Amino acid sequence: MTDQPKNDQFHDTSFLEGQNGEYLEAMYARYASDPNAVDGAWQAFFEAMDDDHADVQAEAAGPSWARSDWPPVPQDELTSALTGQWPVPTEAKAAGHKITEKASSKGIELSDAQVQRAVLDSIRALMLIRAYRIRGHLAADLDPLGMRDSDTQPELDPAAYGFGPKDMDRPIFIDNVLGLEIATMKQIVDIVKSTYCGTFALQYMHISDPEQAAWLKERIEGYGKEIQFTRNGRKA
């Protein structure tokens, strides 16, 4: 068989393809700034490429006309619930002020660590509530014959937000969400399950009008908000 040096060269550099290429490009830029920033084997590899270091750094930085805000990242609640990336700094700051004021009105002074924990509880509780608003219908009891395998929804489990069995009775400030200013995780789970995971499914988070969405939330969330039908009403 004839010798194929180009095939040998391709084999030796095939790891540069696909997603590896972007990673190696960043590593090459680090090497160009400081050769000691990469492993000795990579130093030898990059040195053999004999590229101008300034060109390597410019290539890794991207074009001068590139936009730092592109591609745009949606900031709506649906996207945030699916990705888990919430605008925490703003919410955390507001929740911290309210928690501190609420404690002060009762003559309780909270340390920074206590406020931080209370804020974290609040943010995580709201994340759980939003998850139920968006995906709770997937756990609704819509199969009276029991013919369908029930799929678990990890994002509806309090454990996914850091709440263990010992945390279920700890009071959490939720600022009148679900109609309660303060609630335990057990109370929160009871309300959202009865609201969104009963024998009918309700999903309204696609509604773009905030007033309409708020009206629905106010109508259905909280104790005593369950829809009660008479026998004739059920038949109708």
Side-chain angles (χ1 to χ4, degrees):
M1 179 179 290
T2 58
D3 186 28
Q4 299 290 336
K6 290 187 177 180
N7 286 346
D8 294 337
Q9 182 181 7
F10 174 77
H11 181 271
D12 292 339
T13 59
S14 61
F15 60 86
L16 295 173
E17 57 81 29
Q19 295 181 346
N20 292 337
E22 184 177 351
Y23 170 73
L24 290 172
E25 187 178 73
M27 186 186 296
Y28 197 7
R30 291 201 301 273
Y31 165 82
S33 299
D34 179 13
N36 294 322
V38 300
D39 184 78
W42 285 112
Q43 291 182 29
F45 177 81
F46 292 139
E47 183 178 358
M49 297 183 72
D50 196 28
D51 290 327
D52 181 84
H53 287 192
D55 292 339
V56 173
Q57 292 174 325
E59 180 71 20
S64 59
W65 43 264
R67 288 176 51 177
S68 59
D69 61 342
W70 196 265
V73 179
Q75 298 295 328
D76 58 284
E77 282 196 344
L78 176 58
T79 302
S80 297
L82 295 176
T83 62
Q85 302 298 318
W86 301 97
V88 173
T90 301
E91 292 188 1
K93 185 176 181 180
H97 285 311
K98 290 181 179 180
I99 290 171
T100 302
E101 290 175 357
K102 185 70 177 178
S104 297
S105 66
K106 296 184 177 181
I108 302 174
E109 295 297 328
L110 299 178
S111 66
D112 291 342
Q114 289 174 319
V115 172
Q116 184 177 6
R117 178 177 179 178
V119 169
L120 187 60
D121 278 351
S122 296
I123 296 298
R124 288 176 173 174
L126 293 178
M127 290 172 64
L128 175 67
I129 293 169
R130 284 167 168 162
Y132 268 91
R133 288 171 176 170
I134 292 171
R135 300 182 63 82
H137 66 284
L138 298 178
D141 184 12
L142 305 180
D143 182 21
L145 299 181
M147 300 176 63
R148 187 186 67 182
D149 293 335
S150 58
D151 297 329
T152 58
Q153 304 296 327
E155 62 273 33
L156 303 183
D157 186 352
Y161 304 91
F163 294 105
K166 296 181 180 180
D167 303 316
M168 300 302 289
D169 294 318
R170 184 169 68 241
I172 301 172
F173 177 75
I174 57 175
D175 198 19
N176 292 312
V177 176
L178 305 181
L180 299 172
E181 185 175 41
I182 296 175
T184 65
M185 181 51 57
K186 185 178 184 301
Q187 290 175 312
I188 292 172
V189 171
D190 287 343
I191 291 174
V192 292
K193 276 189 174 181
S194 65
T195 302
Y196 297 104
C197 303
T199 53
F200 71 98
L202 182 66
Q203 212 289 331
Y204 59 86
M205 294 298 285
H206 61 284
I207 297 176
S208 58
D209 188 325
E211 291 187 4
Q212 293 181 7
W215 185 90
L216 283 169
K217 283 186 283 189
E218 174 64 24
R219 176 67 180 82
I220 65 174
E221 289 183 342
Y223 288 122
K225 300 288 184 70
E226 298 85 356
I227 298 175
Q228 302 291 337
F229 289 104
T230 64
R231 183 177 180 83
N232 289 336
R234 289 182 179 276
K235 289 182 177 180

